[in-house]
Amino acid sequence: MKRKNMLICVGTTMALAVLATGAAISAQDKYTVKVPSGLAFSEFKGYEGWQTISVSYNGGLLAVILGNPAMIDAFKAGVPGNGKPFPDGAKMAKIHWNPKKNEAAPGQPLVPNTLHDIDFMVKDSKRFADSNGWGYAEFEYDTASDAFRPGTLTDQPPQGNDAKCGAACHTAAAKQDYVFTVYPKR
């Protein structure tokens, strides 16, 4: 009887281990997602540790705009206000969250709640010559599946399936080398 109980226990443990491994394997690796004919999430690996450029609240979403070291160095050197363009290799990430009110904090500020999407920009004058030197990507986040997908034409704002999806919108910021974000005094 002891032997039978032990075999059942071992069998159950092994079955649970296999199920747990299967669940871990099926979880999405965000760095495998790519905009068709465009930028890959993997091109921005490490964005979570980049410095903050700015924050925003637009369209009902909270956002933090981050820059890689090349982007931060360019801002600190006065780009684009000094008339110079951002250097090739400069990258930005804009993380959007649905906001919620923090009822417990003084003044009840809006704070990030669920992740909404992440936008990326990279300056590469050769690769993106036909979009003013910038490549763009937008990845929508689905809370239920804990997964990202490339933005589509049905999203707001609509996203095309290439690295130029943000080029039309960013022409309004042509005088700032197609970057809307400013680096505020700190």
Side-chain angles (χ1 to χ4, degrees):
M1 189 67 143
K2 274 186 172 180
R3 181 175 168 90
K4 185 177 178 183
N5 285 342
M6 184 179 284
L7 286 173
I8 290 171
C9 185
V10 168
T12 302
T13 302
M14 288 177 62
L16 289 173
V18 168
L19 286 173
T21 302
I25 290 171
S26 68
Q28 182 195 43
D29 176 3
K30 65 185 175 187
Y31 292 112
T32 63
V33 183
K34 181 180 181 187
V35 171
S37 305
L39 297 173
F41 213 118
S42 62
E43 294 181 61
F44 299 87
K45 200 166 201 158
Y47 73 91
E48 302 94 332
W50 293 352
Q51 284 187 19
T52 299
I53 296 169
S54 188
V55 295
S56 70
Y57 179 74
N58 190 325
L61 298 173
L62 290 173
V64 62
I65 301 102
L66 309 172
N68 73 345
M71 192 75 181
I72 298 295
D73 290 346
F75 271 125
K76 287 180 177 179
V79 174
N82 62 7
K84 294 182 181 179
F86 288 96
D88 280 358
K91 296 178 180 181
M92 296 173 64
K94 187 173 187 182
I95 307 168
H96 290 104
W97 290 276
N98 296 299
K100 70 176 180 178
K101 192 182 289 187
N102 184 342
E103 304 284 347
Q108 299 180 335
L110 290 177
V111 296
N113 189 11
T114 54
L115 183 61
H116 185 274
D117 68 84
I118 301 178
D119 304 337
F120 294 116
M121 287 177 64
V122 60
K123 181 74 176 265
D124 187 328
S125 300
K126 290 182 180 80
R127 185 174 169 198
F128 305 112
D130 59 346
S131 58
N132 304 304
W134 288 97
Y136 305 86
E138 192 264 347
F139 295 96
E140 292 285 323
Y141 178 72
D142 179 63
T143 306
S145 65
D146 188 26
F148 287 92
R149 66 165 176 79
T152 67
L153 294 174
T154 61
D155 292 317
Q156 290 301 321
Q159 302 296 316
N161 285 329
D162 58 30
K164 298 179 284 187
C165 64
C169 179
H170 282 256
T171 57
K175 290 182 181 178
Q176 294 85 31
D177 193 19
Y178 304 92
V179 174
F180 288 112
T181 304
V182 296
Y183 189 75
K185 185 159 183 69
R186 356 208 121 198

